[in-house]
Amino acid sequence: MNTHQVLKYRSQAVAKPYFIAAMLLFAGQILFGIGLGLQYVIGDFLFPYIPFNQARMVHTNLLIVWLLFGFMGAAYYIVPEESETELWSPKLALALFWIFLVAGALTIVGYLAVPYAKLAELTGNDLLQTMGREFLEQPLPTKVGIVVVALGFLFNIGMTVLRGRKTSITLVLLLGLAGLAVFFLFSFVNPHNLVRDKMYWWFVVHLWVEGVWELILGSLLAYVLVKTTGVDREVIDKWLYVIIAFALMTGILGTGHHFYFIGLPGYWQWIGSVFSAMEPIPFFMMTVFAFNMVQRRRREHPNQAAVLWALGTAVMGFLGAGLWGFIHTLSPVNYYTHGSQVTAAHGHLAFYGAYVLVVITLISYAMPTLRGRIANSQRAQAVEMWSFWIMSIGMGVMVLALTGAGILQIWLQRMPTEGAMSFMSTQDQLRFFYWVRIAGGVTFLLGQFTYFSSFFVGGEPVKADTVPSAKLAQA
Ligand code: HEM
Ligand code: HEM
Ligand SMILES: [Fe+2]
C-alpha cells in the first residue's frame, strides 16, 4: 500500500518533517536536562564550556520549540482531513519548516557559542530589550522569526479551514493556536517597572499552558479519540466544549496564582487562590473523557499504542497539572513553596504529562499513516508501549525526588521564623534527592531511546481492526 492510499489527503504529508524535527530536538532537550542534573551535584561539570545558565536555556527553549514543531505538525496533519480538502499551501508549510528549523538551530548555537550578554549585544537587544527573562531568552531576530512563522502557519491553516468542512476539533484547535500566537506578543512587552514586567511575563508563560494550550491539548486528544474509538462526534464534541469552557473560566483568572508576591494588589491572593484551585477540574474531565470514550468504543483500532498514549496523556496531565499544581496553588501554601523544588517537580510533570504526551499521542497515531500503513506491527507497538512506561516511570522518579527535595528545602529554609538555614547550606542537604533525580532522568533517556527504536522495528503491519466491530457492539 502506498502513502496516498492511507493518507486521505496528500498534503498531510508535510507533517512528517515537523514530527521528525520535534523528536530530534526532544532528544537534545533530555541530554541537556541530564547535564543540568549533573551540574546540581557536580558543580564544575562541563566547566568552563557549558555553564548552568546556558544549559538551562537550551533545555527549556528546546522543549518549547519542539512542542511548537509538534503542534504545527499536528495541525498540518489534522486540518486537511477534518476540513476534507488539501492544505491551502503545502509549499508554504515546508518553507516555514526550514525557516523555523534554521532559526531555532542558530539560536541554540548562539546560546552555546557566546556569553549571553554578548549574544544580546550582537543581536540588537538594545533596539528593543526583550531578552533575559526565563523561557523568553530568545534574541530579538528569533522572536520576530517566531512571529513570522506563526502568522504564515495560521494563515495557511486558516485558509484551509475556511474553504472546507468546519468541525469542532478544527475550530478549537485554530482558536488555541491563534491564542498561542497572540500571547507570544507579550514577549515583546518588557516595561522597566519590574512588577509590570513580571505580570506580562506570566501572560505568556501561564496563559499559554493553563489557557490556550489546553484548547490545543483538548482538540488533539479529541481527534485521536474520534479516530481510534469510533464514538460519535456529537458525544466527543460536547465533551470538548465543556472541557475548554472550564479551562478558560478557571485558567484566565487563575493567572492570579502568580501575582501573590510580585507587588500586585492584595486581592489577587483571593482571586488567584479561588480560580486556580478550580483549574484541576478541566484536567480531571479530560481523564474521565478519555476513559469514557475508550470504554464506549465501537471499534478496536489496529493502532493500540496510540490509544495508550492518549489515556496516558489524560492521566499524567491530570497528575502533573491538576494534582501537583493544586498542592502549591493556594496563596498561604505558595508563600512557603514559591520558587522551591516543588515548583520544579510540578513544572516537569505538568509539561510532560500534558504537552509532551499529547504530541507523542498524535505522532503515534499519524506517523504510521505517513509511512504508508494504518498501524505498525504488533512488535513495534509493543516496544512503543514499553517506552511509554519507561519514560513515565523515569519521570515519576524525578518528580518524587524533586518533591522530596522541595519539602525538605521548605522545612529547613522557609519554615523556621528564626535560625533558618541559608540557601546554599540547604542545597547541600538535598544532594540525595538530586542524585535520585538523575537516576530518574537516565531512566527517562532509556525510555526515549526505546521510543525512537520502535520506529525501526519491522514486522507485518496490523491491518484491520483486531476485533470485528459487530462483536464489540454485542459485548
Ligand atoms: C520530558 C521531559 C522533561 C521536561 C518536560 C522538562 C521540563 C523542564 C522545565 C519546564 C524546566 C523549567 C522548570 C522551572 O523553572 O520550574 C526544566 C528545568 C530543568 N530540568 Fe527539565 N524537563 C525534562 C527532562 C529533564 C531531565 C531528564 C532532567 C535531568 C535529569 C531535567 C533536569 C532539569 C533541571 C536540572 C532543570 C533546572 C532546574 C532549576 O533551575 O533549578 N529535565 N525542565
Ligand atoms: C499543563 C499545564 C501546566 C503546565 C505545563 C505548568 C507548568 C508550570 C511551570 C513550568 C511553572 C514554573 C514557572 C516558573 O516559575 O518558571 C509553573 C508554576 C506554577 N504552576 Fe503550573 N503548570 C500547569 C498547570 C498548573 C495548574 C492547573 C495549576 C494549579 C492548579 C498550576 C499551579 C502553578 C503554581 C501555583 C505555580 C507557581 C509556583 C511558584 O510559586 O513557584 N499549574 N507551572
Ligand atoms: Fe500558572
Side-chain angles (χ1 to χ4, degrees):
M1 217 190 266
N2 71 32
T3 313
H4 302 152
Q5 283 167 292
V6 176
L7 281 184
K8 295 217 172 71
Y9 295 89
R10 197 187 272 243
S11 52
Q12 288 177 285
V14 298
K16 196 172 176 181
Y18 281 86
F19 291 152
I20 293 171
M23 288 299 102
L24 292 175
L25 299 174
F26 181 27
Q29 184 222 330
I30 298 311
L31 284 181
F32 276 88
I34 289 174
L36 286 165
L38 285 170
Q39 287 179 333
Y40 250 87
V41 282
I42 308 169
D44 55 5
F45 180 66
L46 294 180
F47 177 85
Y49 306 106
I50 308 182
F52 182 84
N53 69 312
Q54 291 179 354
R56 194 184 195 285
M57 280 191 298
V58 175
H59 178 63
T60 54
N61 283 236
L62 278 176
L63 168 69
I64 303 293
V65 167
W66 85 253
L67 290 177
L68 294 180
F69 269 110
F71 292 163
M72 289 195 276
Y76 287 129
Y77 182 85
I78 292 175
V79 168
E81 190 174 315
E82 287 285 294
S83 308
E84 296 180 336
T85 169
E86 292 289 352
L87 186 66
W88 187 75
S89 169
K91 279 210 183 90
L92 177 61
L94 277 179
L96 292 176
F97 169 78
W98 286 110
I99 294 173
F100 197 39
L101 191 64
V102 171
L106 284 178
T107 306
I108 301 295
V109 170
Y111 286 163
L112 292 172
V114 288
Y116 191 67
K118 185 85 194 155
L119 184 66
E121 208 181 290
L122 290 174
T123 54
N125 190 53
D126 45 356
L127 292 177
L128 180 65
Q129 296 177 348
T130 67
M131 292 173 72
R133 295 167 299 162
E134 192 197 358
F135 295 112
L136 307 180
E137 294 96 345
Q138 308 82 28
L140 187 58
T142 311
K143 286 200 179 82
V144 173
I146 293 174
V147 172
V148 170
V149 169
L151 287 177
F153 161 75
L154 283 174
F155 179 72
N156 207 354
I157 291 291
M159 292 302 281
T160 313
V161 169
L162 277 180
R163 77 172 178 196
R165 177 177 73 145
K166 287 145 197 80
T167 66
S168 319
I169 290 174
T170 53
L171 292 180
V172 172
L173 180 61
L174 200 57
L175 201 63
L177 292 165
L180 186 158
V182 167
F183 287 117
F184 183 71
L185 295 178
F186 284 99
S187 73
F188 293 94
V189 182
N190 186 9
H192 283 291
N193 178 327
L194 203 58
V195 175
R196 295 184 58 226
D197 164 26
K198 269 298 182 189
M199 186 184 84
Y200 289 123
W201 180 79
W202 283 110
F203 280 21
V204 187
V205 176
H206 171 103
L207 290 176
W208 265 14
V209 297
E210 291 160 74
V212 290
W213 284 28
E214 279 183 67
L215 309 197
I216 302 173
L217 170 64
S219 59
L220 299 192
L221 211 52
Y223 172 80
V224 172
L225 289 171
V226 165
K227 294 289 159 182
T228 55
T229 66
V231 171
D232 277 347
R233 262 175 198 273
E234 274 173 51
V235 181
I236 287 184
D237 286 358
K238 270 184 207 140
W239 275 97
L240 182 59
Y241 281 126
V242 178
I243 288 170
I244 66 156
F246 267 92
L248 295 176
M249 283 187 304
T250 60
I252 294 174
L253 283 173
T255 319
H257 64 184
H258 302 294
F259 295 168
Y260 298 153
F261 312 115
I262 63 170
L264 286 169
Y267 51 76
W268 286 111
Q269 313 286 330
W270 282 100
I271 300 177
S273 294
V274 169
F275 283 89
S276 70
M278 295 189 292
E279 281 186 56
I281 296 171
F283 285 98
F284 185 66
M285 282 168 45
M286 270 187 242
T287 315
V288 178
F289 168 50
F291 278 89
N292 207 302
M293 293 309 103
V294 171
Q295 227 157 40
R296 293 165 62 170
R297 69 191 177 280
R298 294 166 56 181
R299 59 180 301 198
E300 206 68 61
H301 193 277
N303 189 345
Q304 285 299 308
V307 177
L308 175 67
W309 290 109
L311 293 175
T313 307
V315 173
M316 302 297 279
F318 170 69
L319 290 179
L323 196 58
W324 255 259
F326 183 78
I327 57 175
H328 61 161
T329 205
L330 299 174
S331 117
V333 177
N334 193 259
Y335 179 74
Y336 293 101
T337 59
H338 183 56
S340 67
Q341 294 298 331
V342 171
T343 306
H346 156 67
H348 277 88
L349 194 58
F351 257 113
Y352 170 71
Y355 299 116
V356 168
L357 284 181
V358 80
V359 168
I360 300 183
T361 300
L362 208 98
I363 293 180
S364 171
Y365 175 79
M367 205 56 170
T369 69
L370 292 165
R371 299 169 79 196
R373 46 183 180 257
I374 295 291
N376 291 326
S377 69
Q378 294 289 9
R379 250 183 36 228
Q381 288 193 42
V383 175
E384 217 185 310
M385 292 189 193
W386 269 103
S387 79
F388 166 78
W389 289 108
I390 302 172
M391 277 198 269
S392 298
I393 288 168
M395 181 50 74
V397 170
M398 276 180 62
V399 167
L400 290 177
L402 290 174
T403 307
I407 293 171
L408 186 54
Q409 177 186 20
I410 292 157
W411 181 257
L412 296 175
Q413 186 196 324
R414 302 276 177 89
M415 300 287 280
T417 43
E418 49 192 270
M421 210 181 257
S422 73
F423 179 82
M424 284 316 287
S425 309
T426 308
Q427 293 299 313
D428 279 340
Q429 302 296 317
L430 307 180
R431 292 177 67 83
F432 167 73
F433 292 106
Y434 291 144
W435 278 111
V436 178
R437 180 243 303 264
I438 292 172
V442 171
T443 308
F444 191 95
L445 182 71
L446 291 176
Q448 195 186 42
F449 279 155
T450 310
Y451 178 60
F452 293 153
S453 71
S454 76
F455 288 86
F456 303 97
V457 174
E460 188 60 23
V462 185
K463 285 206 180 81
D465 284 15
T466 42
V467 178
S469 50
K471 257 206 183 135
L472 256 177
Q474 285 165 12

